Amino acid sequence: MENNLIYPRHVAIIMDGNGRWAQKRLLPRKAGHAVGAETFRSTADYLNKNTGVEYLTVYAFSTENWSRPRDEVDEIMRLLRKYMDEACSSLLEKNVRLHFLGDLTIFPEDIRSEMDRLHALSEKTTGLHVNVAVNYGSRDEIVHAVRALAASGADMEHVTEEDITAHLYTAGQPDPDLIIRTGAEKRLSNFLLWQGSYAELYFTDVLWPDFSAKEIEAAMTWFRGRKRRFGNV
Ligand code: IPE
Ligand code: IPE
Ligand code: MG
């Protein structure tokens, strides 16, 4: 990165609009997910190479998305496997750190061990942290954190905000400064409700497969114009 611009430290993205992108082209919804997976890759590359952003968290599959038609869910899982296979070889080369957020216990053993392997490989890299949220739901995450605290023998009557933060899937990472949602909807859909308490929210009508470096820069420019008060004046 060769500029002196201010960047959010942690950007989170709700990658929405794949289905509508495909439907507009009279293609099956799955075609939108395939192009969307490429958009994810190019966005991570761009942030890693051209900006001062340190963390990228993307919402890839929610705890509620299992209610979609079987063939659509199957296609998203196929893309996840494909992406993980390719990520393995390019992680070190691209110097990206990859983590998966969510209740990963639902995934078959081969996917989980691959997630662990990618996580371990990331110990060797020093670039952008990329969190992929899969089978992720913010409420589910908070319940999981509270249960983990109780199981650890914590004094539950005196649990603090820091205790909960330390047991979320994002433990050890800074809160998102900027949450971007593509695809025209203005809602969070159960994404980073705890961590996003003071995030700036940027909504764009652009459908995720059409999201580009130009859109990223537009969001960054908008972010620089915000006055973050955190409850102060
Ligand atoms: C986001 O795109 C990707 C996932 C939720 C997996 P959608 O599939 O929700 O696309 P739209 O909102 O139906 O256009
Ligand atoms: C949010 O998008 C989840 C992801 C982008 C993975 P949805 O398309 O599932 O959200 P709703 O249903 O419009 O709220
Ligand atoms: Mg959607």
Side-chain angles (χ1 to χ4, degrees):
M1 214 234 327
E2 287 159 24
N3 61 49
N4 294 317
L5 291 170
I6 290 172
Y7 285 97
R9 191 168 175 214
H10 184 170
V11 174
I13 308 183
I14 301 171
M15 309 185 291
D16 197 24
N18 291 348
R20 278 165 286 159
W21 182 93
Q23 280 162 339
K24 263 179 38 184
R25 287 163 179 76
L26 306 178
L27 295 167
R29 291 176 56 85
K30 332 192 245 198
H33 295 309
V35 180
E38 287 308 314
T39 307
F40 157 60
R41 199 199 304 262
S42 58
T43 302
D45 282 351
Y46 182 83
L47 290 175
N48 190 35
K49 286 196 199 115
N50 303 94
T51 75
V53 172
E54 294 171 48
Y55 292 82
L56 167 68
T57 300
V58 293
Y59 204 5
F61 195 82
S62 76
T63 46
E64 288 75 29
N65 288 148
W66 296 105
S67 63
R68 294 188 177 204
R70 175 71 197 268
D71 74 322
E72 183 173 342
V73 171
D74 285 351
E75 173 63 6
I76 294 168
M77 294 303 141
R78 189 189 69 79
L79 287 165
L80 177 66
R81 276 178 209 268
K82 177 170 175 271
Y83 177 76
M84 290 199 311
D85 279 354
E86 292 164 6
C88 244
S89 47
S90 63
L91 216 57
L92 295 171
E93 179 198 322
K94 290 187 177 160
N95 197 27
V96 160
R97 294 180 263 203
L98 197 57
H99 309 277
F100 293 88
L101 308 181
D103 177 2
L104 308 178
T105 59
I106 202 158
F107 293 108
E109 185 47 40
D110 65 322
I111 291 197
R112 287 183 67 188
S113 60
E114 198 58 19
M115 286 171 172
D116 290 344
R117 204 162 81 83
L118 289 168
H119 189 86
L121 263 178
S122 297
E123 309 269 295
K124 300 193 180 83
T125 48
T126 56
L128 182 73
H129 290 261
V130 178
N131 295 316
V132 180
V134 278
N135 191 32
Y136 176 89
S138 201
R139 291 181 172 188
D140 179 68
E141 178 184 36
I142 294 167
V143 169
H144 174 269
V146 171
R147 285 187 185 155
L149 263 169
S152 73
D155 174 1
M156 296 308 281
E157 276 188 39
H158 297 100
V159 162
T160 63
E161 290 189 10
E162 289 72 27
D163 292 332
I164 301 217
T165 300
H167 287 80
L168 297 174
Y169 299 130
T170 49
Q173 303 195 4
D175 284 342
D177 306 287
L178 171 65
I179 297 179
I180 297 172
R181 182 173 188 142
T182 62
E185 307 294 359
K186 294 186 172 62
R187 54 179 174 248
L188 291 173
S189 303
N190 205 10
F191 187 49
L192 301 179
L193 302 182
W194 179 282
Q195 300 90 329
S197 293
Y198 270 100
E200 302 295 330
L201 308 179
Y202 181 86
F203 299 101
T204 168
D205 289 348
V206 171
L207 302 173
W208 176 249
D210 289 329
F211 195 75
S212 64
K214 192 174 126 246
E215 313 294 337
I216 297 174
E217 288 304 336
M220 298 298 167
T221 302
W222 176 86
F223 177 82
R224 288 183 196 113
R226 310 271 55 82
K227 167 124 177 54
R228 306 191 73 196
R229 282 186 282 271
F230 298 101
N232 209 326
V233 287

